[in-house]
Amino acid sequence: MRRLVLMASLIISAGSFASDNNSIKRHELGEWERDIGYTGITEVNNQLYISGVACEGKNMEAAVKSCYTNIQDILKKFSLTSEQIIKETIYTTDIDALIKVIPTRKSFFKPGQYPAATWVQVSRLYSPEHLLEVELIVQRK
C-alpha cells in the first residue's frame, strides 16, 4: 500500500511538472543552436532568459557596440526595451578592456536604468574570436 501511495504521488507530481512545461517557450536565434544543443531564448511566464550573445570586433569597444546592437534587435523582436533587462552577466576575455569602455556599454541603457550585473573574466569563450558574451534576464511588463 505504501508503494502504491508513493507511486501515485510520483505520477501526480510528474503530471503537474509536465503541465508546467507548457508555460516554457523556446525561441531560436540561429540554426547553430540545434547543432550545439541549446536555445537562444527561453521564455517562462513573463521572463526571457537570453543565452550569451557572443561578440567580436577589432577591439573591445567594437565588440561591445556589436553585442548591444544585437541585444537591441533581439529585444525589439519581443517588443521589449533595455529598461526591462533585470540581470546581465558579461563574460569577457579582458576585463580591463571592458572597464575602459563602460561609457559605451552604458549608452545602451537609459541613465539610471541599469540592470543588476556581474562581470567575469574567462580565459576563452566558445569561439576564440569572441571578446565578450552577454547573458540576460528580461522581465515583460
Side-chain angles (χ1 to χ4, degrees), residues 5-25:
V5 171
L6 180 58
M7 284 177 42
S9 176
L10 288 172
I11 290 168
I12 290 168
S13 296
S16 64
F17 179 75
S19 66
D20 289 345
N21 275 341
N22 291 332
S23 65
I24 298 173
K25 296 177 187 165

Side-chain angles (χ1 to χ4, degrees), residues 36-66:
I36 297 171
Y38 77 99
T39 301
I41 300 172
T42 302
E43 186 174 358
V44 181
N45 300 322
N46 287 325
Q47 289 188 334
L48 273 69
Y49 298 83
I50 301 175
S51 294
V53 176
C55 300
E56 57 190 69
K58 63 181 178 175
N59 56 37
M60 187 61 75
E61 184 161 3
V64 167
K65 285 180 182 178
S66 173

Side-chain angles (χ1 to χ4, degrees), residues 55-138:
C55 300
E56 57 190 69
K58 63 181 178 175
N59 56 37
M60 187 61 75
E61 184 161 3
V64 167
K65 285 180 182 178
S66 173
C67 253
Y68 286 91
T69 298
N70 290 340
I71 288 167
Q72 282 180 330
D73 292 343
I74 292 166
L75 293 174
K76 284 178 190 174
K77 289 178 185 177
F78 290 89
S79 300
L80 300 168
T81 68
S82 65
E83 294 172 66
Q84 292 166 273
I85 299 171
I86 57 174
K87 177 69 171 106
E88 167 195 66
T89 304
I90 300 175
Y91 301 94
T92 181
T93 56
D94 187 347
I95 198 88
D96 291 325
L98 181 60
I99 289 168
K100 289 177 183 172
V101 298
I102 285 175
T104 302
R105 176 194 158 269
K106 285 175 63 177
S107 72
F108 287 92
F109 298 96
K110 288 190 175 182
Q113 298 294 312
Y114 309 114
T118 301
W119 295 7
V120 180
Q121 182 167 311
V122 296
S123 61
R124 187 191 140 177
L125 295 164
Y126 186 78
S127 177
E129 297 84 29
H130 293 149
L131 298 179
L132 73 149
E133 198 169 301
V134 181
E135 183 178 88
L136 302 168
I137 300 174
V138 185

